[in-house]
């Protein structure tokens, strides 16, 4: 069977890349691998480039974003780039006042706590994200051009994965006004004002979905939705208060029509959240090609929950990056063996790369995964 | 069958209290209820009492501890008191330099990062906790006397639950040097130096176990081990790196011989952790009478995992304390109905009382639980 029989749409130049093939359910010759937060503070070349610029300014600088996005691809030899951004970037594009506080995270000048706040925010036309998305489009274009050049050097196509936060996680930040330990304010709003919560998360779905769609239309080959804090919800509350908006965000990408003469196929959609063990069956019910698995659940157990219709991605504990090499190697072998039961498996960490990681350990890890049989 | 046939040891004066009966597997006339962090910042009388004293100084002041412990019992009419303390108190008694930073949590002057740190800490004789435990013993004695007086007023015995942190959670704080989002440093140490990790957590088990034993010997009727951060471990890692030390901590209480003429029975042992959905079967394999369930899992599903040999405790989402009364009432009914399938059920929140809770909501909640049939 041809890929095109199953999947109507994928960026042509990368459709035969190991990552996209695995995302769409095939088993390439070697297990593809990339790392969440591979572009970032663990790399000295990143720290040098970022010096003097704020995080959010950096995210709107196409030259900086594309260079940062490429750094780990060149250094580690990973199978994909992930678009360098921050989950609050689409909110900033929509005109919401937010800044990133070092050592803390995103902080909003006006938290969304009640009906009036929700009305103020949802009055913003989500189309604004698309209209102000010029720097994002430009950054993706530069990045895919640089990846094309790198693909020639490497002798294999290198796809770009688009990046966005899921509506629940964005809402959790907005409602708290910043990071929090247990996202109580978000759950409080769900119970206090379910209609307001729905309005807010549907709006966030349109913001986040358009941000992803921008990246796909500019040339990204896949999209990953990050619902970092979904694990703070029970399955019942996840189904009620998070899943519908995530579905709506993903639909923005699914509805993109491929250019008629592109020969392009379906854009694979991926999802990741932390502590989502008990949510995996619900997450897998979304219109996804790939479900990311965190390190708090054994991969074989995760497979039981997500089923065989999706590709799994994960799930080495980032703490293993600091373990003796032979301990890490044994764990990598175990995860690769568990992944063989899946439709397809993309190797990743079970969470982002810690800033204090030795980059050489990541490079060795890529080799280890590619050499595994 | 007599209680005494099954259980050799429980504080005599409270053995017929609703809480102790439910803890030991019986079904009292009404569902017992208490709240984690019921003594604390949600109460104006607590904030008034605590004014001008640091948290750790307060924990060593028997008059203050007993009064604070009693406050929620008097105000809300809950079925039990929980000993007011902090999980780092036994570490402080052991001579480790720690302070509580407002808005952050416990901070250690010397984090435990490597073999030399572990050797320094584990060289301290755990017996030190018992030797310096005078203020704890005195606080428990005062508390149980005040509870006895309150029991007369209320017309029903009121037990005191002893309190301690589990070795893994204590180690997570010690290794990070303070609170952290994902306890990476602890998992890093597990992989880097498993023998050092084991030495540290076995020592912490003796510290924590002795702290609990002190409280039981001074008159507490039950003990609860708080493994707040256990949910950051996969089941595999939990079994390897946390469960053995928790078992050792609990054994300190199990080995207490009842005074020959006391007519006292077994001390019920309880456990609570956050985000432990996938660990519940392992947790239930500990020598426990009660397994606490957090709000991230539906109680009926939790029951499938812990089995029918233990009492379950939980699990109202604290966010429900801010929901409209009728929404909260429906959720309470649902949880009580789910709890009927268990051997026995003690109502609690799925996490601690948030500081911003309206105390009247808690008082009403107690009535709601007691009125449920």
């Amino acid at each position: 069977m041809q890929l095109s029989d199953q999947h109507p749409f994928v960026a042509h130049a990368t459709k035969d890349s190991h990552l996209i093939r695995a995302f769409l359910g095939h088993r390439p010759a070697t297990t593809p691998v990339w790392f969440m937060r591979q572009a970032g503070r663990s790399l000295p070349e990143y720290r040098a480039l970022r010096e003097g610029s704020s995080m959010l300014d950096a995210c709107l600088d196409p030259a900086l974003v594309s260079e940062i996005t490429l750094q780990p691809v060149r250094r580690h030899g990973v199978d994909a780039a992930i678009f360098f951004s921050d989950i609050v970037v689409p909110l900033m594009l929509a005109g919401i006042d937010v800044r990133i506080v070092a050592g803390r995270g995103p902080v909003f000048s006006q938290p969304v706590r009640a009906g009036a706040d929700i009305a103020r925010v949802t009055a913003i036309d989500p189309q604004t994200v698309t209209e102000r998305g010029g720097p994002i489009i430009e950054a993706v274009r530069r990045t895919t051009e640089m990846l094309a050049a790198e693909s020639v050097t490497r002798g294999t196509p290198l796809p770009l994965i688009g990046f966005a936060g899921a509506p629940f996680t964005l809402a959790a930040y907005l409602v708290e006004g910043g990071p929090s330990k247990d996202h109580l304010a978000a759950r409080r709003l769900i119970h206090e004002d379910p209609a307001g919560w729905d309005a807010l998360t549907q709006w966030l779905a349109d913001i986040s979905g358009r941000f992803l769609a921008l990246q796909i239309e500019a040339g990204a080959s896949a999209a990953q939705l990050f619902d970092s804090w979904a694990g703070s919800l029970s399955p019942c509350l996840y189904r009620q208060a998070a899943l519908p908006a995530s579905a709506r965000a993903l639909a923005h990408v699914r509805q993109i029509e491929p250019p008629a003469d592109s020969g392009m196929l379906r854009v694979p959609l991926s999802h990741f959240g932390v502590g989502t063990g008990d949510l995996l069956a619900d997450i897998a019910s979304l219109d996804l090609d790939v479900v990311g698995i965190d390190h708090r659940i054994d991969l074989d157990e995760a497979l039981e929950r997500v089923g065989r219709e999706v590709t799994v991605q994960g799930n080495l504990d980032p703490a293993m990056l600091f373990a003796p090499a032979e301990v890490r190697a044994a764990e990598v072998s175990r995860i690769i063996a568990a992944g063989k039961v899946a439709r397809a498996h993309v190797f990743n960490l079970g969470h982002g790369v810690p800033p204090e990681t030795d980059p050489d350990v990541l490079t060795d890890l890529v080799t280890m995964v590619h050499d595994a049989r």
Side-chain angles (χ1 to χ4, degrees), chain A:
Chain A
M1 200 189 327
Q2 296 286 306
L3 252 182
S4 55
D5 293 341
Q6 295 171 274
H7 305 291
F9 185 36
V10 124
H12 180 67
T14 64
K15 75 178 169 50
D16 295 325
S17 64
H18 284 184
L19 182 97
I20 298 300
R21 282 179 50 75
F23 268 11
L24 291 175
H26 299 263
R27 286 210 158 260
T30 60
T31 303
V33 51
W34 65 280
F35 305 119
M36 293 184 285
R37 288 193 195 272
Q38 63 187 15
R41 281 192 291 159
S42 65
L43 299 184
E45 59 268 35
Y46 168 85
R47 296 194 296 268
L49 259 189
R50 272 291 314 284
E51 212 162 308
S53 65
S54 81
M55 178 64 187
L56 293 182
D57 286 345
C59 290
L60 293 183
D61 180 335
L64 209 52
V65 167
S66 52
E67 180 59 25
I68 289 172
T69 301
L70 260 288
Q71 284 175 344
V73 178
R74 294 194 197 108
R75 181 193 265 263
H76 300 312
V78 286
D79 292 277
I82 174 110
F83 189 62
F84 178 77
S85 194
D86 188 278
I87 65 165
V88 300
V89 167
L91 295 174
M92 180 179 59
L93 292 175
I96 290 175
D97 188 39
V98 57
R99 66 208 157 88
I100 309 283
V101 177
R104 192 167 162 221
V107 175
F108 295 89
S109 61
Q110 291 185 283
V112 173
R113 288 284 162 88
D117 303 318
I118 295 171
R120 167 177 59 82
V121 163
T122 57
I124 302 169
D125 185 346
Q127 182 64 22
T128 314
V129 172
T130 312
E131 287 160 7
R132 296 187 187 163
I136 304 303
I137 294 170
E138 176 61 19
V140 171
R141 285 192 182 142
R142 281 180 183 240
T143 304
T144 51
E145 276 166 26
M146 288 160 76
L147 281 169
E150 184 68 20
S151 295
V152 173
T153 314
R154 187 92 73 83
T156 187
L158 292 168
L160 174 66
I161 304 168
F163 165 97
F168 171 73
T169 293
L170 291 175
Y173 280 115
L174 260 180
V175 172
E176 296 277 356
S180 80
K181 259 196 303 197
D182 63 359
H183 319 292
L184 180 72
R187 297 202 312 284
R188 177 176 170 164
L189 182 61
I190 294 169
H191 299 310
E192 265 180 348
D193 181 6
W197 172 265
D198 286 348
L200 178 63
T201 49
Q202 298 285 302
W203 180 82
L204 287 165
D206 291 342
I207 294 289
S208 198
R210 280 170 191 273
F211 185 63
L212 272 184
L214 268 185
Q215 296 170 56
I216 296 300
E217 285 171 337
S221 298
Q224 183 158 313
L225 198 62
F226 288 78
D227 207 355
S228 310
W229 310 139
S232 64
L233 299 173
S234 70
C236 183
L237 208 53
Y238 177 77
R239 285 189 289 270
Q240 173 197 326
L243 188 137
S246 281
R248 181 164 168 153
L250 293 169
H252 279 269
V253 181
R254 278 283 181 256
Q255 78 190 8
I256 296 174
E257 289 291 325
D261 60 347
S262 66
M264 288 164 87
L265 307 166
R266 168 191 179 99
V267 176
L269 295 179
S270 178
H271 180 285
F272 176 75
V274 180
T276 52
D278 278 320
L279 306 180
L280 287 175
D282 289 306
I283 289 168
S285 78
L286 285 163
D287 184 10
L288 293 169
D289 302 280
V290 189
V291 175
I293 310 296
D294 93 334
H295 59 84
R296 299 181 185 193
I297 181 165
D298 299 327
L299 191 58
D300 42 10
E301 175 61 30
L303 274 163
E304 293 295 321
R305 300 183 190 181
V306 299
R308 298 292 183 273
E309 303 294 310
V310 291
T311 296
V312 291
Q313 182 167 267
N315 73 340
L316 184 74
D317 186 346
M320 276 286 170
L321 300 173
F322 309 96
E326 66 278 12
V327 174
R328 186 164 53 250
E331 185 68 0
V332 169
S333 298
R334 196 183 65 75
I335 290 170
I336 296 227
K340 288 200 190 301
V341 180
R343 162 180 107 155
H345 175 215
V346 172
F347 197 93
N348 208 317
L349 302 178
H351 203 335
V353 173
E356 64 272 29
T357 304
D358 175 355
D360 292 344
V361 168
L362 290 177
T363 307
D364 290 349
L365 180 53
V366 171
T367 307
M368 206 183 276
V369 172
H370 284 162
D371 287 351
R373 286 298 171 270

